[in-house]
Amino acid sequence: MSKRVAVIDLGSNSARLAIFERTSRLGFYILREFKAKVRLGKGAYGNGGIITNEAMNETLKVLGEFKKQLKTYKVSRIICGGTSALRDAPNKSEFVGRARRELGLNFSVISGKEEAFLGGIAALNLLDGITDGVSVDIGGGSTEFALIRGGRITKQLSLNIGTVRLKELFFDKNDFKGAVKFVEKELEMLDFTSENLIAIGGSLRAITTAVMKEQNYPFEILHNFKFGYKERKPLIKRIASAQVSELKGLGIKKERFDTVREGALICHLVAKKLHAKNVITSGVGVREGMFLKNLLRPAYKLPRGFSPSLRSLQDRFCKSPLGLVTKHCSELFSLLGEACKFEKTQLHPLLVASKLCNIGESIGVSGEAENAAFITKKALAFGFDHQKRLLVAKILESKGKKANLGAFEELLPSTKVVHALSFVLYVAKVLAHTEAGFSFSGGVLKVSGVAGSKVLTPLLEKLELPQGVEELAVV
């Protein structure tokens, strides 16, 4: 697969371009994203699905702008797919032909089941620890469902309940009851349930943003944000039935005013039908699914425990060898676990931090730890929930000293535990290229193999001892 790959996802309401940069065989990150509202499905749902000349011309104009960006970023491969509005259109071949002739873009028309599968494999591979759930991708013309059981996609379904479709058929006519009946009738075909609703699509992300504002959530990242549906159901129902003038006060951004009410109605009725208790927001969807399908075929599954984001950060920013850091961290975690009150689940974030502890060097030695934490907080996205992501960043940032948890206190272990984890990392980092030995008894951590070193010993002695460790002795 090419190093720089672009995916164009053409929906009923918008056109999106994502440029993926591969840093190694399975390491990648999203280099750039562009979005434009094109409303390819505008006026189509009351007119047999036909794409109007106005909508077609406007969409092709936007795609022409995308093509310029592809040239600027020197993209070597382009994957183009059209979803609901295109597959429903009797004149789809006219659009596909014009895109090919005028722009050199070869669009595939994605079926409803394939669209559901693409959203499902994106969620399955790029969210944290998803083994069971239903991915729900609310688009402009349709909503797609992928049932995940035991870490596999076992069923896909596409229903004609999209935000633009509801807007044109019902909301523009102030027929809220008609919209409810229409959605409920379509949902009769949804024959599976799950406690976990995986939210995909722009409308659901807008609703998630409103939920985060309502609960004053301190971390602004949508991907992997989780909330209980029962607690937030009143807000979602208010959004669905609100007047447009009321949406701002409910935490909705202006650019989402036109279709978010329709999305909230679909979300509420789908959650009710699924008997959903938890909502996991996915920042990835069809675009990432299209990329992964080409990258991971034929299994469509990343290796267990593998994070493209972790590998990508290592590929891009690790400028010096880490030596024995991870090995030392594992040994120290085991030795100090009881005294420092570590939990088993904290070992993984510690080991991830051990693999990223030198990425700040790529910016410079000044503020190295803070730079490593900043990069991690922003970019350790795929395969990490918010708690793990923030814990890795805080372990890196604390430099073996007492941690200041700040606004993230509710998402992290206690200050004492974070300090102890960071202490372990920085002991290991000091000894990165030394076959040191460790023992712990009576509150004394003994480090052997570095006695007499005038470089390493002072660095170890500067570290602030965590609760549970009374002395660090170099022997």
Side-chain angles (χ1 to χ4, degrees), residues 301-465:
K301 192 79 166 66
L302 287 165
R304 186 175 181 180
F306 180 87
S307 165
S309 293
L310 173 58
R311 178 58 57 83
S312 175
L313 290 175
Q314 291 174 295
D315 293 338
R316 288 182 283 159
F317 299 117
C318 285
K319 302 299 183 182
S320 60
L322 286 168
L324 301 166
V325 178
T326 300
K327 177 178 178 292
H328 291 335
C329 279
S330 183
E331 186 175 350
L332 287 165
F333 183 89
S334 179
L335 280 174
L336 302 178
E338 186 176 348
C340 294
K341 295 182 170 52
F342 293 150
E343 296 181 8
K344 290 181 180 179
T345 55
Q346 293 159 359
L347 177 59
H348 180 246
L350 173 64
L351 297 184
V352 170
S354 76
K355 297 172 183 178
L356 297 177
C357 64
N358 63 351
I359 63 174
E361 294 175 0
S362 61
I363 299 175
V365 69
S366 177
E368 177 191 340
E370 292 82 359
N371 292 335
F374 177 83
I375 295 170
T376 296
K377 192 185 298 182
K378 295 295 183 182
L380 192 63
F382 300 147
F384 289 86
D385 66 18
H386 289 186
Q387 286 82 358
K388 290 178 186 173
R389 187 169 171 174
L390 288 168
L391 181 53
V392 173
K394 190 57 68 173
I395 290 170
L396 291 167
E397 181 184 71
S398 300
K399 295 182 285 189
K401 300 177 181 179
K402 187 176 180 179
N404 177 14
L405 305 185
F408 304 123
E409 186 173 3
E410 292 185 7
L411 298 175
L412 291 167
S414 69
T415 299
K416 295 172 184 178
V417 169
V418 175
H419 175 197
L421 290 167
S422 187
F423 170 80
V424 165
L425 173 64
Y426 280 87
V427 169
K429 188 177 180 184
V430 168
L431 303 171
H433 307 291
T434 304
E435 287 282 0
F438 306 100
S439 63
F440 183 70
S441 179
V444 180
L445 174 63
K446 294 182 180 180
V447 181
S448 60
V450 291
S453 172
K454 293 186 178 181
V455 175
L456 302 183
T457 300
L459 292 174
L460 291 171
E461 291 174 345
K462 281 173 61 177
L463 293 172
E464 185 179 321
L465 298 179

Side-chain angles (χ1 to χ4, degrees), residues 3 29 37 63 65 104-105 155 159 179 234 311 313 321 332 352:
K3 182 179 179 182
Y29 67 104
K37 272 195 176 173
L63 293 176
E65 293 186 54
L105 298 175
K155 196 169 184 177
L159 299 177
R311 178 58 57 83
L313 290 175
L332 287 165
V352 170

Side-chain angles (χ1 to χ4, degrees), residues 126-137:
L126 302 180
L127 284 167
D128 175 61
I130 294 295
T131 56
D132 294 279
V134 174
S135 65
V136 179
D137 186 354

Side-chain angles (χ1 to χ4, degrees), residues 5 15 22 24 28-29 54 59 85 135 152 162-163 171 180 227 283 293 312 329 384 431 437 459 467:
V5 179
R22 291 181 63 216
S24 56
F28 65 85
Y29 67 104
E54 179 186 0
T59 301
S135 65
R152 294 175 55 249
T163 58
F171 275 73
V180 172
F227 63 92
K293 184 180 177 183
S312 175
C329 279
F384 289 86
L431 303 171
L459 292 174
Q467 185 170 314

Side-chain angles (χ1 to χ4, degrees), residues 227-234 236 267-268 271 276-279:
F227 63 92
Y229 184 73
K230 182 179 179 181
E231 292 78 10
R232 303 302 160 187
K233 181 170 69 172
I236 296 170
C267 175
H268 167 60
K277 294 182 179 180
N278 312 302
V279 178

Side-chain angles (χ1 to χ4, degrees), residues 38-42 51-60:
V38 293
R39 293 292 290 273
L40 186 65
K42 185 177 181 180
I51 300 172
T52 66
N53 287 332
E54 179 186 0
M56 194 176 296
N57 290 334
E58 181 64 24
T59 301
L60 290 167

Side-chain angles (χ1 to χ4, degrees), residues 164-366:
V164 177
R165 192 185 296 268
L166 289 190
K167 174 180 171 59
E168 294 191 358
L169 295 180
F170 300 101
F171 275 73
D172 286 351
K173 301 171 185 176
N174 293 317
D175 186 7
F176 186 80
K177 290 183 179 179
V180 172
K181 290 180 181 178
F182 178 81
V183 174
E184 288 179 336
K185 180 66 176 175
E186 285 288 311
L187 286 176
E188 289 177 5
M189 290 183 277
L190 185 61
D191 59 354
F192 45 82
T193 62
S194 176
E195 290 188 356
N196 298 320
L197 188 162
I198 302 165
I200 300 176
S203 292
L204 287 175
R205 286 192 287 270
I207 292 166
T208 293
T209 299
V211 169
M212 294 170 84
K213 288 181 179 178
E214 184 181 57
Q215 65 181 65
N216 294 314
Y217 191 74
F219 195 39
E220 74 279 10
I221 304 298
L222 292 174
H223 187 61
N224 258 312
F225 173 72
K226 303 169 185 176
F227 63 92
Y229 184 73
K230 182 179 179 181
E231 292 78 10
R232 303 302 160 187
K233 181 170 69 172
L235 172 64
I236 296 170
K237 290 179 70 175
R238 285 203 304 274
I239 293 171
S241 60
Q243 298 297 315
V244 172
S245 59
E246 298 171 323
L247 291 174
K248 183 178 179 181
L250 295 174
I252 302 299
K253 294 181 180 179
K254 185 177 180 180
E255 60 266 26
R256 278 287 164 188
F257 283 4
D258 59 341
T259 57
V260 74
R261 296 179 300 163
E262 296 83 347
L265 175 62
I266 296 169
C267 175
H268 167 60
L269 294 177
V270 166
K272 181 180 178 182
K273 179 73 174 180
L274 288 174
H275 304 296
K277 294 182 179 180
N278 312 302
V279 178
I280 302 112
T281 304
S282 173
V284 298
V286 171
R287 291 173 300 288
E288 291 77 11
M290 292 165 72
F291 174 77
L292 287 171
K293 184 180 177 183
N294 281 268
L295 180 69
L296 300 177
R297 62 178 58 188
Y300 308 126
K301 192 79 166 66
L302 287 165
R304 186 175 181 180
F306 180 87
S307 165
S309 293
L310 173 58
R311 178 58 57 83
S312 175
L313 290 175
Q314 291 174 295
D315 293 338
R316 288 182 283 159
F317 299 117
C318 285
K319 302 299 183 182
S320 60
L322 286 168
L324 301 166
V325 178
T326 300
K327 177 178 178 292
H328 291 335
C329 279
S330 183
E331 186 175 350
L332 287 165
F333 183 89
S334 179
L335 280 174
L336 302 178
E338 186 176 348
C340 294
K341 295 182 170 52
F342 293 150
E343 296 181 8
K344 290 181 180 179
T345 55
Q346 293 159 359
L347 177 59
H348 180 246
L350 173 64
L351 297 184
V352 170
S354 76
K355 297 172 183 178
L356 297 177
C357 64
N358 63 351
I359 63 174
E361 294 175 0
S362 61
I363 299 175
V365 69
S366 177

